[in-house]
């Protein structure tokens, strides 16, 4: 299922913002209404106390009559001392206990707002609910009522709250636009990366640049670069395999063609059989070379080929010895296996078999008839597998070249058939197992090749050592 990260971010951020905005606006609305009610009550009390002091001062000076219309039978206050927008919604009454209503504002009813002398009360007058605060003098000679109609209060509350809430609501669309711009800008690196990948050719596998990329995207780009490196390595291995196979198979194929033509054209039966024999040898050599090339290619390009497990190395050595014993017997070569411990190593079994087989196979190939090969497995600071032979050996100056692919020593190249891949595979397998590879002159005058494996804790140690020794030495060739 495909989805847009941009749309998801926009939808979730806008939805979350709208929800939080709405909840905040509602809570603010309720809290503001409550605070406005308290504010109005406080304003009633404050206005009542102010009017109380004002009226007391006028009574003391005898100038109270100047404040109302003498011709008005309703005694309406003509000069308002409280002229703010909200105080004009407040009604005042000055009531004398002996004379009744003395003074009132234009919005105040004619009859008293309440019978209370002090404090807050609610009264319904002429179909309107009034909120009233009353205060009287110390002698209770007159009473001041300051009131506000409930419908007027609600109107004021709604007006005040709307002034507070409207900006929040009107700003929500602008918030959406800002979120959209932020998301678009934040995803620009992803869009640039997409365009960069889209413009790439299939064979261009150079790493992507991580400059100017967000921290969250860098790991993804690094993994892509790792994949590019693996692909580049795989393609390089494929190109190398093709080039190597083409180079190494060209000469044998030409020889095959020549020998086949000789066999077809000659009338001499002996010459024909000789040509067919050479064809057979060439086919065997090519078969061995192709197998070596395929194995080498697999080692370099297939990571799943490196699954490792604990194995007893001596058993693997004995198995390879048993496989090569017939060839050694033909050449009357004496092979012996010496070891002083039952040691385990963590290796890839197929690869370690290739390593041992290549070392021993080279020793059998290059050791002359009646020669000697000694295989030893010793455990000191490392587990050392050593193979020594009495062959011609390799000159010291050629040690490094001997590990190169398809390299063959000049002294032995024409005497023994080979591909020049054996030691290069041994070196590669040793590196994959963190093992050290050493080449030296053997005590028999030939080549000494030692592989040093790092020691690891034993896994599944053998309980019956006697049975193991019997199994080991029962197959040793002396």
């Amino acid at each position: 299922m495909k989805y847009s990260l941009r749309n998801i971010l926009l939808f979730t951020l806008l939805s979350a913002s709208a929800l939080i905005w709405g909840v905040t606006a509602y809570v603010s609305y309720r809290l503001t209404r409550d605070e406005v009610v308290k504010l109005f009550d406080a304003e009633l009390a404050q206005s009542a106390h102010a009017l109380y002091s004002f009226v007391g001062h006028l009574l003391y000076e005898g100038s109270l009559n100047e404040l109302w219309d003498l011709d008005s039978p309703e005694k309406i206050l003509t000069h308002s001392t409280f002229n703010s927008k909200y105080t004009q919604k407040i009604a005042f009454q000055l009531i004398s206990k002996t004379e009744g209503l003395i003074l009132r504002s234009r919005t105040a009813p004619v009859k008293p707002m309440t019978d209370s002398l002090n404090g807050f009360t609610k009264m319904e007058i002429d179909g309107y609910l009034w909120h009233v605060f009353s205060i009287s003098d110390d002698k209770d000679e007159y009473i001041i009522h300051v009131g506000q109609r409930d419908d007027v209060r609600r109107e004021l509350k709604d007006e005040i709250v709307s002034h507070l809430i409207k900006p929040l609501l009107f700003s929500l669309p602008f918030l959406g636009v800002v979120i959209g711009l932020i998301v678009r800008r934040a995803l620009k690196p992803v869009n640039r990366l997409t365009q960069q990948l889209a413009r790439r050719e299939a064979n261009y596998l150079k790493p992507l640049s991580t400059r100017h990329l967000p921290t969250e995207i860098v790991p993804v780009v690094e993994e892509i670069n790792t994949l590019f490196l693996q692909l580049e390595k795989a393609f390089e291995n494929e190109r190398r395999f093709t080039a190597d196979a083409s180079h190494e198979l060209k000469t044998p194929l030409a020889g095959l063609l020549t020998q086949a033509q000789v066999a077809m054209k000659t009338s001499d039966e002996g010459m024909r059989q000789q040509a067919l024999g050479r064809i057979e040898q060439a086919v065997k050599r090519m078969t061995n070379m192709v197998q070596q090339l395929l194995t080498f290619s697999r080692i370099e390009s297939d990571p799943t080929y490196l699954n490792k497990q604990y194995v007893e190395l001596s058993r693997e050595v004995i198995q390879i010895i048993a496989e090569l014993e017939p060839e050694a017997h033909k050449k009357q070569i004496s092979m012996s296996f010496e070891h002083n411990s039952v040691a385990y190593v963590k290796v890839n079994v197929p690869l370690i078999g290739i390593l041992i087989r290549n070392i021993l196979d080279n020793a059998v190939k290059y050791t002359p008839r009646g020669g000697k090969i000694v295989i030893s497995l010793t455990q000191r600071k490392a587990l050392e597998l050593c193979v020594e032979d009495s062959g011609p050996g390799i000159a010291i100056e050629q040690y490094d070249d001997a590990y190169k692919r398809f390299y063959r020593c000049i002294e032995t190249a024409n005497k023994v058939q080979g591909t020049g891949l054996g030691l290069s595979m041994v070196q590669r397998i040793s590196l994959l197992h963190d093992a050290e590879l050493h080449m030296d002159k053997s005590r028999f005058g030939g080549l000494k090749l030692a592989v040093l494996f790092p020691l690891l804790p034993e896994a599944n140690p053998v309980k019956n050592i006697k049975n193991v020794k019997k199994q080991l030495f029962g197959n040793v060739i002396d």
Side-chain angles (χ1 to χ4, degrees), residues 71 154 187 335 427:
D71 298 329
R154 283 200 306 270
L187 293 179
M335 275 202 304
Q427 184 187 47

Side-chain angles (χ1 to χ4, degrees), residues 143-392:
I143 305 169
I144 295 175
H145 299 306
V146 180
Q148 187 178 44
R149 277 175 27 189
D150 187 70
D151 58 328
V152 173
R153 175 175 286 201
R154 283 200 306 270
E155 179 184 349
L156 292 174
K157 283 193 299 184
D158 292 340
E159 185 177 355
I160 293 173
V161 171
S162 66
H163 288 321
L164 177 66
I165 299 300
K166 281 180 180 179
L168 295 178
L169 297 179
F170 288 142
S171 62
L172 186 58
F174 295 101
L175 177 64
V177 173
V178 172
I179 289 176
L181 294 175
I182 292 174
V183 170
R184 182 178 179 181
R185 183 176 181 81
L187 293 179
K188 271 188 176 181
V190 179
N191 296 332
R192 287 199 303 267
L193 183 62
T194 302
Q195 295 172 2
Q196 187 177 355
L197 289 172
R199 289 194 299 265
R200 283 198 165 210
E201 296 181 0
N203 59 349
Y204 185 73
L205 298 175
K206 297 299 180 182
L208 295 166
S209 174
T210 56
R211 294 179 59 190
H212 310 299
L213 287 180
T215 306
E216 293 79 8
I217 300 179
V218 170
V220 178
V221 176
E222 289 177 347
E223 291 299 323
I224 293 175
N225 289 338
T226 301
L227 178 60
F228 282 165
L229 291 176
Q230 292 173 351
L231 289 174
E232 179 69 23
K233 184 177 179 181
F235 291 158
E236 179 62 28
N237 290 336
E238 183 180 354
R239 289 191 293 266
R240 186 185 304 170
F241 174 80
T242 304
D244 291 343
S246 175
H247 175 268
E248 292 301 316
L249 294 177
K250 183 184 297 184
T251 301
L253 285 174
L256 275 174
L257 179 60
T258 301
Q259 295 300 326
Q261 290 173 346
V262 170
M264 291 172 63
K265 294 179 179 180
T266 185
S267 57
D268 187 345
E269 184 63 26
M271 186 175 293
R272 181 182 293 111
Q273 291 300 325
Q274 185 180 8
L276 291 175
R278 291 177 179 174
I279 290 174
E280 182 182 9
Q281 291 178 357
V283 170
K284 288 181 179 179
R285 181 186 175 191
M286 289 176 60
T287 301
N288 182 49
M289 183 184 300
V290 170
Q291 289 176 347
Q292 296 277 48
L293 285 171
L294 290 174
T295 302
F296 202 92
S297 178
R298 178 185 291 181
I299 292 172
E300 290 192 333
S301 62
D302 189 1
T304 61
Y305 201 58
L306 297 178
N307 295 328
K308 297 179 181 179
Q309 64 187 70
Y310 287 99
V311 297
E312 186 183 344
L313 193 59
S314 58
R315 292 186 179 182
E316 301 299 320
V317 175
I318 290 174
Q319 182 178 349
I320 304 300
I321 291 175
E323 293 176 4
L324 296 177
E325 189 275 336
E327 187 67 25
H329 183 71
K330 288 180 182 179
K331 298 177 67 174
Q332 299 177 353
I333 295 174
S334 171
M335 275 202 304
S336 62
F337 180 36
E338 303 170 356
H339 68 98
N340 61 3
S341 65
V342 178
Y344 285 81
V345 289
K346 190 173 184 181
V347 296
N348 178 273
V349 177
L351 287 184
I352 217 64
I354 293 172
L355 180 143
I356 299 171
R357 182 177 289 104
N358 274 281
I359 296 175
L360 295 183
D361 184 59
N362 280 347
V364 172
K365 281 182 181 179
Y366 292 101
T367 299
R369 179 176 294 274
K372 187 175 184 179
I373 298 174
V374 176
I375 306 106
S376 62
L377 188 63
T378 56
Q379 180 175 338
R380 297 186 182 90
K381 294 182 178 180
L383 183 60
E384 179 180 349
L385 172 64
C386 181
V387 178
E388 297 182 83
D389 62 55
S390 59

Side-chain angles (χ1 to χ4, degrees), residues 6 74 115 129 157 293 331 365 429 448 451 463:
R6 178 175 178 271
E74 298 180 354
D115 297 330
L129 179 63
K157 283 193 299 184
L293 285 171
K331 298 177 67 174
K365 281 182 181 179
I429 295 172
K448 175 183 177 181
V451 185
K463 296 180 179 179

